[in-house]
Amino acid sequence: MSKIILTGDRPTGRLHMGHYVGSLKRRVELQNSGAFDKIFIMIADAQALTDNFDNPDKIRDNIIEVALDYLSVGLDPAKSNLFIQSAVTELTELTFYYANLVTVSRLERNPTVKSEIKLRNFETSIPVGFFTYPISQASDITAFKATTVPVGEDQLPMIEQTREIVRKFNTTYNCEVLVEPDALIPENSICCRLPGTDGKAKMSKSLGNCIYLSDTEKEVKEKVMSMFTDPTHIQINDPGHVEGNAVFTYLDAFATDEDFAEFCPDYKNLDEMKEHYQRGGLGDVKCKKLLLNVINKELAPIRARRAEFEKDIPAVYEILRKGTDVAREMAAQTLSEVKAAMRINYFDDDALIQGQQARYNQK
Ligand code: TRP
């Protein structure tokens, strides 16, 4: 069986370091591993509209931001199809048919949807489109017969629900048209959830605590130098805490032993630095300066690629258009298999028409 990746992001804002360690970096590694037959990376604008339907320009403007972020981290259109969800209309059609296989109570039990409903104050009136987006996500995944869906942990309930839909479809229609996907989540727990620069659990646009992939060196410097550390570490000689200290969590996620040799040779590695911090006598500024160097080293090639792509925006749209054409072709193939399995392929089934004729001839 071919190994196929599908994944994507809602274009509600620029992508940040949390997205990077949580999934983008991995995608590029998977892309370059050569282990996959096809890779589809989707800008999920239709899904983004399920809770931004009244703000379409936000989605419209962020398509290009996300595309630039993708290209700048090293997703290569020659290896990965980058496409726009709403332009693959087959996905909407699949969603309509899969909706027959899912109950309202099952959707209500989806923990990610549950918490998002709370977050958006939708409790008293949930838009149907938003409520049913896990079904649409199943269409995204199955249309490409994806075997592998690299995502953050919060997406596990969506993959589980997709697997249920696949099983239900294949048993109901006694076929093997759809493929059960596996989620691929980050191995490392810090990468599952990078905290915000304010120390809050998650980087999030609405909290204003993100370091964006497209931030300039100056912006990153301001953010890192004012980062949340350990509020009990007041004097340099006070013993410090590394748990819950965002600077150390970031260093855990990014700093390598080579980084210490290059930027902070007083310590061999992060363990030595942590040890000194905990003992007392190591100031926050030194740790922040190291972190700033480490982040800038990671972001420098990303910034350089972004600057190149920004020079020719029409070419970026052209990449998306081409990727979308390829995606449509694959989704159309799956849709036609789905319709055949569901017995609604009336016009491409000669036997059907002849058979009906025979029935009437017997009258
Ligand atoms: N729900 C995902 C997010 O919020 C985006 C998404 C839409 C997605 N369809 C998908 C991810 C299919 C993986 C597979 O980031």
Side-chain angles (χ1 to χ4, degrees):
M1 194 171 67
S2 358
K3 289 177 72 183
I4 300 177
I5 287 182
L6 174 117
T7 188
D9 301 273
R10 300 180 190 182
T12 51
R14 293 180 289 153
L15 301 179
H16 52 61
M17 300 287 292
H19 294 115
Y20 182 66
V21 291
S23 97
L24 293 172
K25 199 172 175 177
R26 184 80 173 282
R27 285 184 209 172
V28 176
E29 285 162 12
L30 293 170
Q31 167 193 276
N32 295 336
S33 74
F36 291 87
D37 301 288
K38 291 183 189 139
I39 303 178
F40 294 94
I41 312 281
M42 176 181 75
I43 302 184
D45 62 334
Q47 187 177 107
L49 283 168
T50 64
D51 63 337
N52 289 281
F53 54 87
D54 50 354
N55 196 0
D57 283 332
K58 170 171 151 192
I59 307 306
R60 191 179 176 82
D61 291 340
N62 278 307
I63 298 242
I64 189 71
E65 293 288 353
V66 171
L68 285 166
D69 286 329
Y70 282 170
L71 294 165
S72 62
V73 296
L75 288 172
D76 173 357
K79 297 179 187 154
S80 298
N81 269 289
L82 310 181
F83 74 97
I84 299 182
Q85 183 185 30
S86 65
V88 183
T89 51
E90 287 79 2
L91 299 175
T92 323
E93 219 173 318
L94 286 173
T95 303
F96 190 67
Y97 298 130
Y98 294 170
N100 297 333
L101 310 174
V102 181
T103 63
V104 169
S105 63
R106 177 62 183 88
L107 284 167
E108 279 168 347
R109 279 201 309 275
N110 185 310
T112 299
V113 176
K114 250 194 207 166
S115 63
E116 287 177 329
I117 286 172
K118 271 220 189 84
L119 208 71
R120 290 163 177 73
N121 293 320
F122 277 162
E123 278 109 329
T124 49
S125 62
I126 311 170
V128 172
F130 180 81
F131 185 59
T132 55
Y133 90 74
I135 307 178
S136 138
Q137 192 153 339
S139 304
D140 302 336
I141 295 168
T142 56
F144 302 97
K145 304 202 174 181
T147 51
T148 311
V149 186
V151 278
E153 242 180 346
D154 62 320
Q155 296 295 304
L156 287 176
M158 305 301 161
I159 315 298
E160 195 42 49
Q161 201 157 5
T162 301
R163 294 169 62 93
E164 286 173 30
I165 290 173
V166 167
R167 288 195 292 266
K168 185 96 189 245
F169 185 93
N170 287 348
T171 49
T172 303
Y173 301 110
N174 193 20
C175 65
E176 282 181 30
V177 169
L178 301 183
V179 176
E180 267 189 68
D182 287 310
L184 197 62
I185 59 169
E187 291 140 351
N188 165 334
S189 63
I190 305 160
C191 295
C192 279
R193 191 144 291 189
L194 195 70
T197 51
D198 56 359
K200 295 224 174 81
K202 203 180 165 187
M203 257 196 197
S204 126
K205 215 175 18 261
S206 49
L207 296 172
N209 60 4
C210 305
I211 297 176
Y212 292 99
L213 297 173
S214 48
D215 276 347
T216 60
E217 275 193 43
K218 186 164 167 273
E219 286 166 325
V220 175
K221 184 170 182 190
E222 277 161 18
K223 290 179 184 182
V224 169
M225 295 321 274
S226 59
M227 230 165 127
F228 177 85
T229 56
D230 170 12
T232 68
H233 185 243
I234 299 163
Q235 306 286 341
I236 233 179
N237 289 324
D238 293 340
H241 297 85
V242 298
E243 293 83 26
N245 182 326
V247 171
F248 281 96
T249 313
Y250 280 42
L251 286 171
D252 270 324
F254 296 106
T256 61
D257 293 358
E258 293 79 68
D259 290 332
F260 277 88
E262 190 176 348
F263 303 122
C264 198
D266 292 354
Y267 308 99
K268 262 212 271 333
N269 54 37
L270 188 54
D271 286 339
E272 278 191 18
M273 181 179 231
K274 281 183 179 172
E275 210 264 318
H276 191 184
Y277 191 81
Q278 286 167 316
R279 199 169 65 226
L282 171 56
D284 284 340
V285 170
K286 185 159 179 170
C287 306
K288 287 178 171 175
K289 281 194 171 145
L290 167 66
L291 178 61
L292 182 61
N293 279 316
V294 169
I295 291 180
N296 276 329
K297 184 173 159 188
E298 192 86 33
L299 290 184
I302 297 177
R303 283 193 193 111
R305 272 193 294 262
R306 198 179 222 275
E308 281 307 304
F309 283 109
E310 282 178 359
K311 285 182 196 154
D312 193 354
I313 293 298
V316 176
Y317 278 102
E318 189 56 22
I319 289 170
L320 294 178
R321 202 184 57 75
K322 288 211 178 95
T324 301
D325 285 345
V326 176
R328 279 204 79 163
E329 207 175 301
M330 172 109 195
Q333 173 60 33
T334 304
L335 178 62
S336 94
E337 292 169 29
V338 160
K339 290 177 82 169
M342 291 178 70
R343 320 273 296 143
I344 56 174
N345 59 337
Y346 315 112
F347 302 132
D348 13 313
D349 189 355
D350 268 347
L352 164 74
I353 299 166
Q354 297 312 320
Q356 297 294 0
Q357 180 63 69
R359 246 175 14 103
Y360 286 98
N361 289 348
Q362 276 163 17
K363 271 196 187 159

